[in-house]
Amino acid sequence: MSVLLLPPELLDNISLHLLPPHLSSLAAANSRFYHVAQRHLYRHVYVDNRNLACVFTLARNPTIARHVRTFVIRLSPFSHLLKAFYRRLAQALSNMTGLTSLDISVDQAASWVMRTRDDATYPRLRRFASSFPMDNHVAHFLNKTDALVELDLDSLHSSSSSDLPELRVGALPRLAQFTGSAEAAQCIVPGRPVEHIHLNSGDLTEELAESLAKSAADVTVLAAATSSHSVSLIGTLTRCMEHLVHLRIVTTYNFSDAPDTMYFANIADALTSLPDLQSCEIWGLHWISSKKSFHDQGRVWQSEGFNTASLIPPNQLLTNGTFLDDLYSDFSYTY
């Protein structure tokens, strides 16, 4: 049987197993192969400083751009690209309406590329990560992403929450994971079904905790930093986020004296009200739990480092190099 007579599904399956250079050759071999090969050749696109021409291709050819499902662009912070390149990037983003995942790391001053054409929507986009903070351009884009589940924004934003743009009513109805500044979280989380919250900048206060607890879903993961060392903050978290599974709170507070036994006992008492809690780190100390007794399945929490020689002195929690690297390298959990 001639290859040209093979059904489209079989040609499509064959293309799945070809490398990009072979797909390019296949696209050039025959007009029937051209569209089949293109769908796979441009399905997953990664752009860096070595293949910038790909952005121009996607900007000039909407038909090709609609094949893209995952698009990653990571440019060196030392790149000095002309505004014309970013205009092409904006065009390419407007054309890629079939995206399921978008990861964009470019000059923060170019956040205007997210202001895509009014007729461009992204009904399949589930993940969006960017080097841009929350601003009017990013908000314009987010208003078009009703399927979004994961959102990761940069933290470099000095404005207060009152200066941040507002999303349209009903935007981000499926958002489940948020990473970004405390100010952006206060703008985005309340009223949306966010379960995982990672604050990579800003101060977690009791007022902010109560605001984030207004998520339309139970918050199960919280990672944040605070300038407080108050047991009251932990009490607020255990009261308004009672279904927490993973909790990580660090502080920039400079302890003048080591906390006493009562201080740790109060935190332990607060943690007992979280029946679903599996892992916990507070002020840089890991907490572990055990059953109260054979007949009582309730949990008792205790600082893992307390009463051991390995305890990091409280006033050194944020001067310990390893601890800082762990916190700010990716600010995420492994569980």
Side-chain angles (χ1 to χ4, degrees), residues 32 48 55 94 122 125 151 170 180 227 260 275 295 323:
R32 188 176 180 208
D48 58 20
V55 171
S94 291
Y122 305 86
L125 189 66
L151 175 60
S227 60
D260 57 18
H295 299 288
F323 177 71

Side-chain angles (χ1 to χ4, degrees), residues 116-143:
T116 54
R117 289 194 311 266
D118 290 340
D119 63 339
T121 58
Y122 305 86
R124 300 179 181 179
L125 189 66
R126 293 176 54 82
R127 179 181 179 274
F128 174 47
S130 89
S131 59
F132 305 132
M134 185 66 174
D135 62 13
N136 285 304
H137 305 304
V138 172
H140 173 87
F141 181 79
L142 292 178
N143 281 329

Side-chain angles (χ1 to χ4, degrees), residues 16-65:
L16 280 173
H17 304 283
L18 298 179
L19 296 174
H22 300 150
L23 284 170
S24 298
S25 299
L26 185 64
N30 182 279
S31 59
R32 188 176 180 208
F33 296 148
Y34 178 77
H35 296 291
V36 174
Q38 272 196 337
R39 282 202 303 274
H40 296 283
L41 189 60
Y42 288 94
R43 185 171 295 272
H44 306 290
V45 177
Y46 182 95
V47 176
D48 58 20
N49 292 76
R50 297 168 296 180
N51 61 338
L52 298 177
C54 182
V55 171
F56 290 83
T57 299
L58 297 173
R60 290 193 304 263
N61 299 278
T63 302
I64 294 177

Side-chain angles (χ1 to χ4, degrees), residues 166-297:
E166 291 187 6
L167 297 173
R168 65 173 174 81
V169 175
L172 305 177
R174 301 181 184 179
L175 187 66
Q177 298 183 35
F178 171 81
T179 299
S181 69
E183 294 80 10
Q186 191 165 14
C187 170
I188 291 173
V189 172
R192 297 185 172 88
V194 183
E195 300 176 357
H196 296 193
I197 302 173
H198 300 254
L199 304 183
N200 52 22
S201 72
D203 189 12
L204 178 65
T205 62
E206 292 185 52
E207 293 77 14
L208 177 58
E210 291 178 347
S211 177
L212 298 182
K214 295 177 182 177
S215 166
D218 293 327
V219 177
T220 59
V221 174
L222 177 64
T226 179
S227 60
S228 170
H229 78 300
S230 172
V231 175
S232 177
L233 173 61
I234 305 303
T236 298
L237 290 174
T238 59
R239 173 178 52 80
C240 64
M241 298 184 184
E242 59 183 14
H243 294 287
L244 279 170
V245 176
H246 303 282
L247 174 63
R248 188 184 192 195
I249 304 296
V250 297
T251 183
T252 56
Y253 182 85
N254 185 19
F255 289 85
S256 57
D257 297 304
D260 57 18
T261 304
M262 182 59 68
Y263 181 88
F264 285 95
N266 289 336
I267 293 180
D269 286 343
L271 295 178
T272 59
S273 65
L274 297 174
D276 302 324
L277 194 63
Q278 295 179 14
S279 66
C280 182
E281 180 182 324
I282 298 177
W283 316 151
L285 302 175
H286 290 280
W287 290 69
I288 56 176
S289 67
S290 59
K291 294 181 181 179
K292 288 184 178 179
S293 67
F294 181 79
H295 299 288
D296 189 344
Q297 298 301 307

Side-chain angles (χ1 to χ4, degrees), residues 43-103:
R43 185 171 295 272
H44 306 290
V45 177
Y46 182 95
V47 176
D48 58 20
N49 292 76
R50 297 168 296 180
N51 61 338
L52 298 177
C54 182
V55 171
F56 290 83
T57 299
L58 297 173
R60 290 193 304 263
N61 299 278
T63 302
I64 294 177
R66 281 193 288 271
H67 294 316
V68 181
R69 294 295 176 265
T70 63
F71 182 78
V72 179
I73 179 167
R74 297 185 181 278
L75 303 182
S76 166
F78 303 105
S79 300
H80 298 289
L81 297 171
L82 298 177
K83 192 172 183 178
F85 170 80
Y86 287 105
R87 283 198 293 266
R88 295 295 179 269
L89 177 58
Q91 284 180 289
L93 291 171
S94 291
N95 291 339
M96 291 186 284
T97 53
L99 283 171
T100 60
S101 177
L102 173 62
D103 189 333

